[in-house]
């Protein structure tokens, strides 16, 4: 619905405006700015939904590598706020069942993009080379779905509200560069604006029942202080 896409557009605009304000604040008042580079393994997650009264589909968003980049503005030494982008290219094998019979199977190509704003609490240790952190994420997911099976090739995109949690630690190899270790959970909320579903004609978006996606990952990356 228009109202939902208007909401996600406002979220994206708000993230950009806030990022620019924080960048200006960091330059004027001298707060630290960090660039975070991410790499993680994302584990499998299952989904299912009815597409009519007697038929349903179920499948798996397969695990795989997720990469990303973020800019974090340190409002105070122990508090930061980050604008980040995460990307995963994967597959979603899906089965369609009607009256107890498997009607067909399709292995969708799926691209998952998260744009998130992440307030983060940092825990400073007496050892300056160690630092812990924990925070939450709010924003959106843009999912790109394609069915590679001829003659029913199909592609579509859907935008949904997303949230997440993250926690981990940083080992500072120098004053400017650190190694980041992190656990995270990111979820795409399917209930807002109707479910993004894998219909029998390929895929689509509609007001069917829904299955929220939860993606848990373990990984790391680099932290670079640019100021």
């Amino acid at each position: 619905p228009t109202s939902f896409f208007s909401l996600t557009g406002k979220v994206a605009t708000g993230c950009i405006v806030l990022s620019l304000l924080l960048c200006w604040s960091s330059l004027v008042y001298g707060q630290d700015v960090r660039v975070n580079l991410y790499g993680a393994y994302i584990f499998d997650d299952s989904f299912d939904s009815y597409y009519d009264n007697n038929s349903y589909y179920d499948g798996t968003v397969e695990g795989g590598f997720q990469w990303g980049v973020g800019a974090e503005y340190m409002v105070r030494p122990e508090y930061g706020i980050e604008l980040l982008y995460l990307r995963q290219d994967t597959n979603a094998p899906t089965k369609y069942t009607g009256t107890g019979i498997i009607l067909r199977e399709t292995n969708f190509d799926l691209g998952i993009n998260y744009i998130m704003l992440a307030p983060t609490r940092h825990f400073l240790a007496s050892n300056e080379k160690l630092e812990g952190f924990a925070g939450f994420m709010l924003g959106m997911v843009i999912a790109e779905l394609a069915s590679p099976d001829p003659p029913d090739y199909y592609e579509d995109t859907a935008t949904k509200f997303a949230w997440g949690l993250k926690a981990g630690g940083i080992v500072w190899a120098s004053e400017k560069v650190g190694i980041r270790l992190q656990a995270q959970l990111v979820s795409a909320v399917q209930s807002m604006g109707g479910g993004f579903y894998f219909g029998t004609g390929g895929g689509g978006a509609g007001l069917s029942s829904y299955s929220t996606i939860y993606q848990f990952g373990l990984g790391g990356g680099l932290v670079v202080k640019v100021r």
Side-chain angles (χ1 to χ4, degrees):
T2 303
S3 60
F4 177 74
F5 286 99
S6 175
L7 173 63
T8 55
K10 290 177 181 178
V11 171
T13 302
C15 288
I16 293 170
V17 171
L18 184 56
S19 177
L20 292 174
L21 288 174
L22 289 170
C23 185
W24 174 82
S25 175
S26 69
L27 293 174
V28 172
Y29 296 104
Q31 286 97 336
D32 290 337
V33 180
R34 300 177 179 183
V35 174
N36 299 318
L37 305 177
Y38 294 98
Y41 180 81
I42 306 300
F43 294 89
D44 291 356
D45 183 54
S46 60
F47 60 86
D48 59 79
S49 179
Y50 282 88
Y51 56 88
D52 63 36
N53 291 333
N54 299 311
S55 304
Y56 68 94
Y57 59 84
D58 62 279
T60 301
V61 177
E62 293 183 338
F65 179 71
Q66 181 190 75
W67 61 272
V69 62
E72 184 175 7
Y73 307 97
M74 304 304 295
V75 181
R76 296 175 56 185
E78 67 272 26
Y79 292 102
I81 186 164
E82 180 183 15
L83 182 65
L84 72 154
Y85 170 77
L86 302 172
R87 169 77 183 190
Q88 181 190 5
D89 292 287
T90 185
N91 293 95
T94 305
K95 293 189 301 184
Y96 305 94
T97 303
T99 61
I101 301 173
I102 296 177
L103 302 177
R104 60 175 290 183
E105 298 183 49
T106 300
N107 190 15
F108 290 95
D109 296 325
L110 183 62
I112 305 173
N113 306 274
Y114 291 102
I115 302 172
M116 310 289 275
L117 195 65
T120 305
R121 174 70 161 90
H122 293 262
F123 304 95
L124 308 178
S126 56
N127 183 343
E128 295 183 355
K129 291 187 177 296
L130 299 177
E131 179 181 316
F133 65 87
F136 64 92
M137 299 176 278
L138 293 175
M140 70 176 74
V141 59
I142 303 171
E144 305 163 351
L145 176 72
S147 170
D149 297 338
D152 298 325
Y153 179 79
Y154 180 89
E155 59 182 1
D156 196 10
T157 61
T159 303
K160 299 293 178 184
F161 175 76
W163 64 271
L165 301 171
K166 62 178 180 176
I170 300 171
V171 179
W172 291 101
S174 68
E175 291 185 0
K176 294 290 186 180
V177 179
I179 299 171
R180 181 186 191 99
L181 301 174
Q182 176 174 301
Q184 68 181 42
L185 173 66
V186 185
S187 176
V189 180
Q190 299 278 13
S191 59
M192 298 188 66
F196 180 54
Y197 69 95
F198 301 78
T200 53
L207 295 174
S208 63
S209 61
Y210 60 87
S211 176
T212 298
I213 297 172
Y214 295 97
Q215 292 193 292
F216 177 73
L218 295 173
L222 292 178
V223 182
V224 181
K225 292 183 180 179
V226 297
R227 182 183 172 89

